[in-house]
Amino acid sequence: MPAFDLPPNELEHYRAELEEPADFDEFWLSTLKEAGQADPLVSVRPVPNGLRLTESWDVTFRGFAGDPVRAWYSRPAGVREPLPAVVEYAGYGRGRGLPHERLTWVNAGYAHLLMDNRGQGDQYGCGGDTPDPHAAAPGGPGPAVRGLLAPQDHHYRRLITDAVRAVTAVRALPGVDAGRTVAVGNSQGGGLALAVAGLVPDLAAVLVTAPFLCGIRRALDLTDAAPYGEITAYLSVHRGAEEAAYRTLAYLEGISFARRARASAHFGVGLRDTVCPPSGAYAAFNRYGELGGSRPHGSLPHGARTSGARVQNAPAQDGRRPQGAPPRKEIHAYPYNGHEGGDAVHVRRQLDWLPGVV
């Protein structure tokens, strides 16, 4: 697994050129408006989890087109006061699994919602429970290529909408401090968390690791590893479909969502990641918040290097960001790691960082 992307000194300032659709904002505004017509929650049912220190609920909320989406909601047992909420998004091919699987955030004292991935869950882990009833558009079998030829048909239009609705749903649950909601994810989940940061203007914070769907065009040139490899495999068979595919993917580009984000952000990236090349994560980081703060386009300051990380726009001593200031953001790079990035070391950094911003 040799280093194969840009050298570190270039990654630190890499911003990527974008071919952003002129109607990018309208596309997502209309999609989310349609999905937001109904109340978010369908059902909230307590479930046994075999744990004495954690309580869990089986949640169903309305996602894209009002479709029922499943999730696990967990919180520290016996705690009744409102808690900040962490909404977590799972990786590619995973479902929500079982309620006792992902306990880091609830053990750290947060309310935790783990969203199921519609139409996924059959590749890793313990499965999922949410079908995708809209998966009949032309494309390949994998989620990355379902509906590839038209943005309104693509799987990720539905999944990103579900991710935004998951934030609305968790804020409607009892015992949640709605003003302190956080999006978290790794790989596909990192791409979803970044999209949520760009689409939910009052999100408190986002934690993004090895994000998928960032720098998509460059990634397709760099790697044949799935999920990007599923797209190149499709295009190798459907010769001449590139223009339609690239047009669709432009509406899913994580860098475009990052530009619109306002929440405080924590990034992690392995510099030998051949699944989600690091240049995509760096471009999303370097352009993060450029349309959401008080600074005009292109005027964000360069970050200083501190302890192997880049930190920009540090908050005041009380942890709060001044009104209208650019979002606080930092990125941690792991030079000798691939898609796993910093693994548990990075999770500890997330745990130490988050209380300072929510």
Side-chain angles (χ1 to χ4, degrees):
M1 187 173 53
F4 76 107
D5 206 336
L6 297 171
N9 62 320
E10 294 184 27
L11 286 172
E12 288 190 1
H13 305 288
Y14 180 68
R15 296 172 61 82
E17 296 295 327
L18 288 179
E19 296 181 8
E20 192 172 281
D23 64 341
F24 182 92
D25 292 311
E26 177 57 33
F27 176 84
W28 284 106
L29 180 66
S30 61
T31 296
L32 297 177
K33 182 178 180 181
E34 180 181 348
Q37 298 298 317
D39 291 337
L41 294 176
V42 176
S43 65
V44 182
R45 180 173 58 86
V47 293
N49 59 20
L51 305 171
R52 290 188 296 174
L53 302 181
T54 300
E55 296 175 317
S56 298
W57 290 260
D58 186 350
V59 171
T60 302
F61 66 91
R62 293 181 176 89
F64 176 86
D67 297 336
V69 179
R70 305 287 290 277
W72 295 124
Y73 175 57
S74 299
R75 53 185 293 120
V79 177
R80 296 293 171 253
E81 65 264 27
L83 296 173
V86 170
V87 181
E88 185 173 2
Y89 306 105
Y92 194 78
R94 288 187 180 273
R96 64 173 182 165
L98 301 173
H100 60 269
E101 286 189 71
R102 301 202 180 200
L103 301 175
T104 297
W105 295 107
V106 68
N107 281 340
Y110 299 92
H112 178 242
L113 187 81
L114 176 62
M115 186 187 85
D116 204 12
N117 287 326
R118 67 164 61 219
Q120 300 188 34
D122 296 325
Q123 295 186 36
Y124 307 100
C126 293
D129 301 293
T130 303
D132 184 2
H134 309 278
V145 288
R146 293 176 190 161
L148 183 61
L149 302 184
Q152 66 270 19
D153 294 334
H154 199 277
H155 176 81
Y156 281 108
R157 178 183 180 228
R158 302 187 290 277
L159 194 61
I160 289 170
T161 302
D162 292 346
V164 171
R165 293 289 288 168
V167 172
T168 305
V170 81
R171 287 173 166 174
L173 289 168
V176 167
D177 183 343
R180 295 191 291 165
T181 309
V182 181
V184 176
N186 176 74
S187 192
Q188 174 185 264
L192 292 175
L194 195 57
V196 168
L199 294 171
V200 180
D202 60 347
L203 192 73
V206 61
L207 298 104
V208 177
T209 311
F212 182 45
L213 297 175
C214 289
I216 298 172
R217 292 287 294 267
R218 178 174 170 82
L220 292 173
D221 290 337
L222 286 178
T223 182
D224 285 328
Y228 288 116
E230 297 177 11
I231 299 173
T232 55
Y234 179 88
L235 294 177
S236 74
V237 174
H238 299 275
R239 299 166 180 85
E242 298 94 327
E243 183 177 352
Y246 288 145
R247 177 177 179 271
T248 295
L249 294 169
Y251 289 91
L252 311 174
E253 174 58 63
I255 300 169
S256 293
F257 291 117
R259 297 178 68 217
R260 291 158 169 78
R262 302 177 184 178
S264 297
H266 189 281
F267 283 71
V269 58
L271 299 191
R272 298 172 185 248
D273 189 346
T274 59
V275 177
C276 296
S279 54
Y282 268 96
F285 173 79
N286 287 327
R287 302 191 70 166
Y288 186 91
E290 70 181 12
L291 299 182
S294 61
R295 296 176 183 268
H297 172 81
S299 67
L300 290 176
H302 292 304
R305 293 180 66 96
T306 60
S307 303
R310 284 182 64 204
V311 181
Q312 292 185 356
N313 310 317
Q317 289 186 345
D318 63 2
R320 290 178 292 184
R321 179 160 53 95
Q323 183 71 26
R328 175 186 179 182
K329 59 181 182 177
E330 65 184 62
I331 187 167
H332 296 263
Y334 302 91
Y336 299 99
N337 291 97
H339 197 53
E340 78 283 1
D343 208 356
V345 170
H346 188 69
V347 173
R348 177 56 190 268
R349 284 176 167 161
Q350 292 176 326
L351 289 166
D352 290 342
W353 178 84
L354 190 55
V357 296
V358 296

